[in-house]
Amino acid sequence: MSSKIFGYARVSSKEQNEERQLNAFKEFGIDERDIYVDKQSGKDFNRDNYLVLKHILRENDLLVIKSIDRLGRNYNMIIEEWKDITQNIKADIVVIDMPLLDTRNNKDLLGTFISDLILQILSYVAEQERTFIKQRQKEGIENALNKGVKFGRPKIEKPANFDNVISQWKKKEIKSKDAMIMLNLKPNTFYNLLKNTKI
């Protein structure tokens, strides 16, 4: 059975765009159906498409990633995954942005040592970046709170005629639909306000 080339792309959230990674894979010559994408954090490897890809990866196959942080952002886990793929599965890995991280080349002792060294440095950098991102998010939230920014949904103000209309509704003088029209409220807002109202 001939070896296959797979691409793995990851972005941290659904809002982020993986286009840059996908373009790099196409330039590399990877078939679209052999590209796997996860929109998930890199804190661990519990990702649906990554697990599927790893399950079908065979000896002499090639796994291509754009940069080491796309594989993950946890130093120890990246090292473990790298070893599992290259030593246990016996597949090769290429990191497009770091040509020295190409396990197809330099399979002698010195080449392996250099690759391992670079991998450890880049994995460390990837984890540090994750720590910095979390720190920046925390600081951003703290700054916003200090400036009086409120998080979560804004409190819904009751319309001036709310109690009067709800009183009519409770007496069955008007229907729910009529009450919503009179109050100019959407169904969700109407029922949320009702939940928090004692009449």
Side-chain angles (χ1 to χ4, degrees), residues 138-150:
K138 188 180 168 199
E139 287 168 3
I141 290 166
E142 281 172 7
N143 285 338
L145 288 171
N146 290 338
K147 287 177 183 171
V149 174
K150 299 271 192 289

Side-chain angles (χ1 to χ4, degrees), residues 4-10 25 30-38 45-59 61-66 70-71 81 84-85 89 91-94:
K4 292 193 74 173
I5 304 176
F6 297 98
Y8 177 71
R10 183 189 68 79
F25 295 152
I30 303 172
D31 195 307
E32 210 170 305
R33 66 184 173 193
D34 294 324
I35 295 171
Y36 291 76
V37 181
D38 277 312
F45 285 87
N46 232 347
R47 299 173 229 140
D48 292 345
N49 284 323
Y50 178 78
L51 293 172
V52 169
L53 169 59
K54 198 173 169 193
H55 182 72
I56 60 175
L57 209 54
R58 297 285 179 263
E59 186 173 347
D61 283 347
L62 177 63
L63 171 61
V64 181
I65 52 175
K66 178 89 168 71
R70 297 304 89 203
L71 186 62
E81 283 300 306
D84 195 29
I85 290 167
I89 298 173
D92 280 304
I93 304 176
V94 165

Side-chain angles (χ1 to χ4, degrees), residues 112-130:
T112 304
F113 170 74
I114 292 167
S115 287
D116 286 351
L117 198 60
I118 292 162
L119 173 64
Q120 290 196 26
I121 293 165
L122 291 177
S123 302
Y124 172 77
V125 170
E127 177 155 340
Q128 283 302 102
E129 181 58 24
R130 180 170 170 256

Side-chain angles (χ1 to χ4, degrees):
M1 199 166 101
S2 60
S3 57
K4 292 193 74 173
I5 304 176
F6 297 98
Y8 177 71
R10 183 189 68 79
V11 287
S12 297
S13 69
K14 288 180 169 64
E15 289 75 40
Q16 289 180 314
N17 195 323
E18 68 276 15
E19 204 61 39
R20 221 163 41 87
Q21 296 173 71
L22 300 182
N23 288 339
F25 295 152
K26 283 168 193 166
E27 280 177 33
F28 201 94
I30 303 172
D31 195 307
E32 210 170 305
R33 66 184 173 193
D34 294 324
I35 295 171
Y36 291 76
V37 181
D38 277 312
K39 297 196 174 191
Q40 223 172 318
S41 161
K43 65 182 169 64
D44 59 40
F45 285 87
N46 232 347
R47 299 173 229 140
D48 292 345
N49 284 323
Y50 178 78
L51 293 172
V52 169
L53 169 59
K54 198 173 169 193
H55 182 72
I56 60 175
L57 209 54
R58 297 285 179 263
E59 186 173 347
N60 296 323
D61 283 347
L62 177 63
L63 171 61
V64 181
I65 52 175
K66 178 89 168 71
S67 57
I68 201 71
D69 63 335
R70 297 304 89 203
L71 186 62
R73 283 194 181 275
N74 179 302
Y75 175 81
N76 290 323
M77 287 183 181
I78 292 171
I79 303 293
E80 284 303 309
E81 283 300 306
W82 189 279
K83 281 183 182 168
D84 195 29
I85 290 167
T86 58
Q87 293 174 20
N88 297 334
I89 298 173
K90 292 185 171 58
D92 280 304
I93 304 176
V94 165
V95 180
I96 293 172
D97 288 352
M98 181 53 63
L100 283 169
L101 284 179
D102 182 342
T103 62
R104 298 171 303 175
N105 306 329
N106 309 318
K107 289 193 183 266
D108 61 354
L109 194 59
L110 180 62
T112 304
F113 170 74
I114 292 167
S115 287
D116 286 351
L117 198 60
I118 292 162
L119 173 64
Q120 290 196 26
I121 293 165
L122 291 177
S123 302
Y124 172 77
V125 170
E127 177 155 340
Q128 283 302 102
E129 181 58 24
R130 180 170 170 256
T131 306
F132 294 148
I133 288 167
K134 284 173 81 178
Q135 184 61 31
R136 285 196 295 268
Q137 283 172 341
K138 188 180 168 199
E139 287 168 3
I141 290 166
E142 281 172 7
N143 285 338
L145 288 171
N146 290 338
K147 287 177 183 171
V149 174
K150 299 271 192 289
F151 289 93
R153 289 183 177 178
K155 193 179 173 190
I156 304 160
E157 293 296 325
K158 285 200 293 187
N161 59 338
F162 185 80
D163 292 346
N164 183 32
V165 171
I166 293 306
S167 177
Q168 290 179 338
W169 174 75
K170 285 212 162 191
K171 291 175 190 166
K172 295 190 166 54
E173 291 171 9
I174 56 170
K175 294 179 178 175
S176 302
K177 192 175 167 187
D178 299 322
M180 288 176 216
I181 292 166
M182 289 165 78
L183 295 167
N184 195 24
L185 293 174
K186 291 181 178 172
N188 280 356
T189 313
F190 176 75
Y191 289 112
N192 280 335
L193 282 172
L194 265 183
K195 254 194 304 188
N196 302 317
T197 304
K198 289 178 184 172
I199 293 180

